[in-house]
Amino acid sequence: MLPDKKGYFDGFGGRFMPETLMPVLYELSDEYKKAMSDNAFKKEYEYYLKEYAGRQTPLYFAKRLTEMMGGARIYLKREDLLHTGAHKINNTLGQVLLARRMGKKRVIAETGAGQHGVSTATIAALFGLECEIFMGEEDIRRQSVNVFKMKLLGAKVTSVSAGSKTLKDAMNETIRDWVANVRDTYYVIGTVAGPHPYPMIVRDFQSIIGKEARRQIIARENKLPDYLVACVGGGSNAMGLFYPFMNDKVKMVGVEAAGLGMNTDKHAATLCKGSVGVLHGSKSYLLQNEDGQIKIAHSISAGLDYPGVGPEHSYLKESGRAEYVAVTDKQALEGFRMLTEIEGIIPALESSHALYYATRLAKKLSKKKIIIVCLSGRGDKDIDIVRGAL
Amino acid sequence: MNRVDKKFKKLKKEGKKAFIAYITAGDPALAMTERAVLALEGAGVDIIELGIPFSDPVADGPTIQAASQRALKKGASLKKIFAMVRALRRKTEMPLVFMTYFNPVFKFGLVKFFKTCREAGVDGVIIPDLSIEEAGETIALGRKNVVATIFLAAPTSPRKRIKEIAAKSRGFIYYVSLTGVTGARTKLPPEVAANVKAIKSITDKPVAVGFGISDAAQARTIAKCADGVIVGSAIVKMMGAGTKGALGKTVKLAESLARAIHGE
C-alpha cells in the first residue's frame, strides 16, 4: 500500500516543509487515521456527499460523440453536475470535516481557477467556519465570477501578486499564512500535492469518482473499461478516477496542458516535459530551469496552470502504470466546442483537455472498446475566456 | 574544526554572543554582496548567512521574497554564488553559511553541492524546507565534508523533536522565534526566552534565534537568552534599497546591532 509510512510513493512524495508545520502534519496523519476507522465520520461524510453535494454522479454514455468518432464507446463521469460545479467538493467536504474534528476554527486554501476556492468557501459557509482563499492576481482577473462567489459565501479573498501571480504563488502564500496561524487554522489543499499526508488524503476523498464509475460501468456494460482518461494539473480528479482501478487491467491516461505547444515555453506539461525536484512539500516532477528555479506554467485553463504535479502521478509515470500526454489550448477549445455542440454539455476548460484526447483515442479504437472520461467540472466559469478565444 | 564552531568557541571564551547577519546573495548584484560581506565583517558581524535566491521561498516574508526576485532577475545562481565565495575566501576567514531552499541544492546535485561547499569554503547550510525526516543524505554528506547542517526548531516543535533536531544539527541550532515567516516585527513573542532555555537544557550546542528581530533593542533582549542573534530582513531592506549609500547605511545598522548583541 502506497504511500509508505514516510509518505513516499516509491521515491516520490515525502514531507519537505518548514519545521513549524511538521508537528501539525503528524497530527493530521493521526486524526485522518482515526477518522477513517470511525463509522460516524464516514457516515457523516457520505451523508453530505449524497444530500448536499449531489452524489452519486451519472456515468453518462455520450452516444452522439461516440457515433461522431466512430470508434470506442465514450462514457463521461459527470462530476460537473456536483454542487459548486466540479469534483473539488469531494475533497473539501472531507477535509473540512477533518478540520472540525481537529477543532480548527479557520480554514484556508489556495485556488487557481477558483473552483477549489469556491468549494472550500461553500463548505466553510455550511459549517460556519472562518475562511480565507489565496488566489493569484492573474487568476483573479480571469476568473472574476468565482471571486465574487467566494465573497458572497463569506470568504476573504486575498490577491497574490508575487511571482507568476497564479496557482503556485497562491500556494506559497497559503503555506505562509499556515505557518503563521498553524495553531487554529486548517489548510485545505485542493489537489493531490503538498506534503504527506495530503496527497493520500485528497486521493482517498476523490477516489469516490472511480469507485462509482467502476460500479456503474460494470452494471451498464458488464465489463471494465479499456481506458480511463482525465486531465492533470495537480492531478486530483485523475487520481480519484484512477485509484479504484489500480489493480484492474485498465489503461490510464493523464492529459496535461500543452498550452501554446510543447516546443514553446508556454505550457504546463509537468510530467511530459519536466524533471524531478521538490516543491510545496513533496518530491515530484516539476517545471524548472537548470538552477532549480521553478518555471512559470501556462495554460488557457487556470486549473491546469501549475508547474508541479502530485507525487503519486510521478510514481505512476515512472512505473509505467499510467501514461501522460498533453493537449494544447487550441485542441482543448476544440474539445470544449465539440461536447457543447454534440452533447449539449458545456465542460470546464480543464476537462476539455481530457475530452479532446479521448475523442482522438476513440477514433483509433474499435467499437468494442470503452473509454471513461472524467468530466471534472462544468464550463460556466470559462465562458468569458472561451468568448475571447473563439 | 569548522569555522562556525571556532567562532562560537571564541565568543564563548570572551563571554559574547554571536551576531549572525543574513543577506540575499546577488541582491542587488553579486559584486555588491561580496563587498557587503566584508563590510559587515568590519561592522562586527560574526557569521554571515548567504541567502540563495529561490523562486518560491515559502518561509520568507515580503522583504526577502522581493530580494530573491531581484537577485534572480540579475542572474544569481548557485554556481555564481560559489564563485563569489571562492573570491571572498581569499579575503576573509569569517564563517559563511548558506541559507537555501532544498530544490536548488537538489537540482545542483547533493554530492556535488557538499563537495563544492567544502572546496569553496562554505561552512554550513540552513535549509528551511528540509525537515529532519528528509535530511538523511544531507546530514551524511555534511558530516563527510565538514559542512555544518543547521536545523531549525520552532515554537511548535515538541520536546522530542527538539532533541532530534539538536542531535542532527552541527554548528548551531536555529530557533525560530515565532510561528510565521521571516520579516521584521515590532514585538516578539514573550515566551522566546523560556523556549530557548528549554532547548539549552537539552543540548550543549549553541542556540541562535532568528525571525522577526530587526532593531538593537530586540537584539539586546534576545542576546540575553541565546548564543546568537540572527537578523535578516532589516539588513536586506537596507541593502536592497540599492540607492547610493545603501551599503553605508547597512553598515551603520549592523554596527548598532553588533554593539547590542556583544553587550557593548
Side-chain angles (χ1 to χ4, degrees):
Chain A
M1 276 287 279
L2 293 175
D4 65 19
K5 266 192 175 160
K6 292 179 167 177
Y8 275 92
F9 302 90
D10 199 17
F12 297 102
R15 281 171 289 207
F16 296 84
M17 274 277 129
E19 171 60 23
T20 308
L21 296 174
M22 291 304 291
V24 81
L25 293 178
Y26 282 98
E27 190 193 336
L28 178 57
S29 289
D30 288 347
E31 199 60 45
Y32 179 64
K33 208 171 154 191
K34 276 186 218 155
M36 284 298 108
S37 56
D38 176 355
N39 277 326
F41 179 88
K42 282 198 275 189
K43 267 207 175 129
E44 192 181 22
Y45 176 56
E46 279 157 20
Y47 169 81
Y48 282 106
L49 275 184
K50 178 165 178 264
E51 302 291 335
Y52 185 76
R55 296 213 79 91
Q56 80 177 7
T57 60
L59 182 69
Y60 168 71
F61 174 55
K63 186 164 173 277
R64 293 193 68 208
L65 190 64
T66 296
E67 284 168 3
M68 190 179 158
M69 294 304 136
R73 296 162 71 76
I74 301 170
Y75 280 86
L76 306 176
K77 182 61 178 160
R78 298 289 309 272
E79 296 299 293
D80 60 314
L81 293 175
L82 285 174
H83 182 40
T84 73
H87 71 291
K88 293 291 182 188
I89 199 164
N90 303 326
N91 169 47
T92 50
L93 245 178
Q95 285 201 54
V96 172
L97 288 174
L98 270 179
R100 290 177 82 213
R101 264 182 84 99
M102 293 168 80
K104 307 286 183 186
K105 301 273 182 271
R106 175 173 176 261
V107 293
I108 54 172
E110 83 293 343
T111 196
Q115 290 306 96
H116 176 59
V118 167
S119 178
T120 305
T122 298
I123 307 301
L126 174 64
F127 291 116
L129 297 175
E130 190 188 338
C131 177
E132 183 167 350
I133 305 294
F134 295 85
M135 189 167 181
E137 206 177 270
E138 168 68 14
D139 290 336
I140 285 185
R141 188 187 59 74
R142 52 183 175 172
Q143 299 287 352
S144 59
V145 174
N146 272 343
V147 174
F148 187 58
K149 276 188 197 165
M150 288 185 268
K151 287 181 179 164
L152 284 174
L153 288 159
K156 182 179 172 196
V157 180
T158 300
S159 170
V160 178
S161 58
S164 64
K165 304 174 172 53
T166 62
L167 182 54
K168 109 180 146 75
D169 305 281
M171 198 150 175
N172 292 340
E173 207 53 36
T174 319
I175 293 172
R176 291 183 189 116
D177 181 285
W178 197 27
V179 172
N181 300 298
V182 60
R183 288 187 175 102
D184 69 348
T185 296
Y186 181 96
Y187 180 7
V188 184
I189 294 187
T191 190
V192 286
H196 178 66
Y198 280 101
M200 171 183 75
I201 290 178
V202 178
R203 173 197 73 194
D204 291 353
F205 284 138
Q206 289 296 357
S207 66
I208 184 77
I209 302 172
K211 275 181 210 156
E212 285 178 5
R214 195 172 183 283
R215 204 164 55 220
Q216 288 166 317
I217 198 74
I218 290 172
R220 176 81 184 247
E221 295 272 358
N222 206 20
K223 63 174 184 175
L224 287 167
D226 298 281
Y227 284 88
L228 304 173
V229 179
C231 65
V232 176
S236 70
N237 88 85
M239 263 336 292
L241 176 65
F242 293 175
Y243 193 62
F245 291 90
M246 210 54 84
N247 299 320
D248 297 322
K249 242 189 108 185
V250 174
K251 292 194 176 78
M252 299 167 175
V253 186
V255 185
E256 295 192 305
L260 300 183
M262 296 291 271
N263 297 322
T264 70
D265 240 1
K266 301 238 178 227
H267 63 76
T270 309
L271 288 161
C272 294
K273 296 280 276 188
S275 56
V276 179
V278 172
L279 178 69
H280 295 150
S282 57
K283 188 181 286 183
S284 192
Y285 273 79
L286 290 180
L287 295 177
Q288 58 182 332
N289 71 12
E290 68 279 7
D291 294 325
Q293 306 296 342
I294 311 306
K295 280 193 194 169
I296 290 171
H298 166 86
S299 169
I300 190 168
S301 86
L304 301 183
D305 204 345
Y306 181 59
V309 66
E312 194 164 8
H313 282 294
S314 292
Y315 159 68
L316 294 177
K317 174 193 159 82
E318 290 282 295
S319 67
R321 179 64 189 90
E323 182 194 355
Y324 294 88
V325 298
V327 156
T328 64
D329 287 354
K330 227 173 131 188
Q331 291 169 328
L333 282 167
E334 202 181 319
F336 178 96
R337 283 186 75 156
M338 220 180 329
L339 197 73
T340 305
E341 288 165 9
I342 303 290
E343 295 285 353
I345 298 170
I346 300 178
L349 279 174
E350 289 79 7
S351 324
S352 300
H353 286 74
L355 280 165
Y356 176 85
Y357 181 80
T359 56
R360 300 300 103 171
L361 178 65
K363 265 189 180 172
K364 290 189 274 182
L365 298 172
S366 86
K367 289 182 177 174
K368 283 185 194 150
K369 301 282 183 187
I370 298 168
I371 300 172
I372 295 178
V373 185
C374 189
L375 193 58
S376 55
R378 57 174 172 250
D380 310 37
K381 69 182 173 63
D382 296 317
I383 294 301
D384 286 341
I385 295 168
V386 174
R387 188 171 18 219
L390 289 182
Chain B
M1 200 192 266
N2 184 298
R3 290 184 193 90
V4 176
D5 299 328
K6 268 189 210 159
K7 175 62 87 175
F8 273 106
K9 211 175 159 189
K10 181 171 174 275
L11 287 168
K12 200 175 177 184
K13 248 187 208 162
E14 296 166 0
K16 280 183 180 173
K17 305 302 174 70
F19 174 16
I20 303 169
Y22 169 98
I23 51 174
T24 301
D27 171 45
L30 277 170
M32 179 72 164
T33 304
E34 195 181 327
R35 280 173 53 206
V37 170
L38 299 170
L40 288 169
E41 183 178 26
V45 169
D46 298 298
I47 298 171
I48 289 277
E49 254 184 51
L50 281 174
I52 310 299
F54 182 49
S55 53
D56 296 82
V58 293
D60 285 302
T63 303
I64 293 177
Q65 284 176 44
S68 304
Q69 284 296 322
R70 288 193 297 265
L72 288 174
K73 260 195 193 137
K74 285 277 176 70
S77 66
L78 254 180
K79 210 176 140 191
K80 288 182 192 168
I81 294 164
F82 273 128
M84 183 199 69
V85 170
R86 282 192 198 97
L88 267 172
R89 275 289 170 244
R90 290 195 281 274
K91 297 168 189 159
T92 177
E93 276 300 306
M94 87 181 300
L96 299 172
V97 306
F98 276 174
M99 172 111 171
T100 176
Y101 288 87
F102 189 59
N103 199 53
V105 175
F106 179 79
K107 187 73 181 170
F108 193 83
L110 277 171
V111 172
K112 189 175 141 202
F113 173 80
F114 278 98
K115 239 182 98 188
T116 315
C117 280
R118 176 181 204 158
E119 170 257 308
V122 176
D123 305 299
V125 287
I126 305 164
I127 310 179
D129 60 342
L130 186 70
S131 59
I132 47 172
E133 280 82 350
E134 305 293 346
E137 198 185 351
T138 299
I139 291 168
L141 288 165
R143 301 288 180 276
K144 195 178 154 196
N145 292 286
V146 208
V147 175
T149 49
I150 298 151
F151 287 99
L152 295 96
T156 52
S157 312
R159 198 177 155 83
K160 198 176 150 237
R161 280 187 73 81
I162 290 182
K163 271 188 185 165
E164 275 184 65
I165 289 165
K168 288 177 169 162
S169 290
R170 292 292 183 273
F172 61 92
I173 294 146
Y174 190 135
Y175 179 68
V176 178
S177 71
L178 45 81
T179 50
V181 293
T182 62
R185 305 289 201 283
T186 47
K187 256 184 91 183
L188 294 175
E191 63 273 17
V192 173
N195 290 347
V196 171
K197 206 176 157 191
I199 299 174
K200 290 184 73 67
S201 74
I202 291 171
T203 178
D204 293 332
K205 288 171 188 162
V207 179
V209 177
F211 282 44
I213 306 161
S214 59
D215 62 31
Q218 287 171 330
R220 197 183 305 275
T221 310
I222 299 294
K224 281 184 187 138
C225 63
D227 303 300
V229 180
I230 305 163
V231 182
S233 296
I235 291 171
V236 169
K237 205 169 193 172
M238 200 67 92
M239 283 266 307
T243 48
K244 237 188 172 174
L247 186 56
K249 281 184 198 158
T250 310
V251 166
K252 275 225 165 97
L253 171 68
E255 283 169 348
S256 82
L257 289 165
R259 279 194 297 273
I261 294 162
H262 293 147
E264 289 157 7

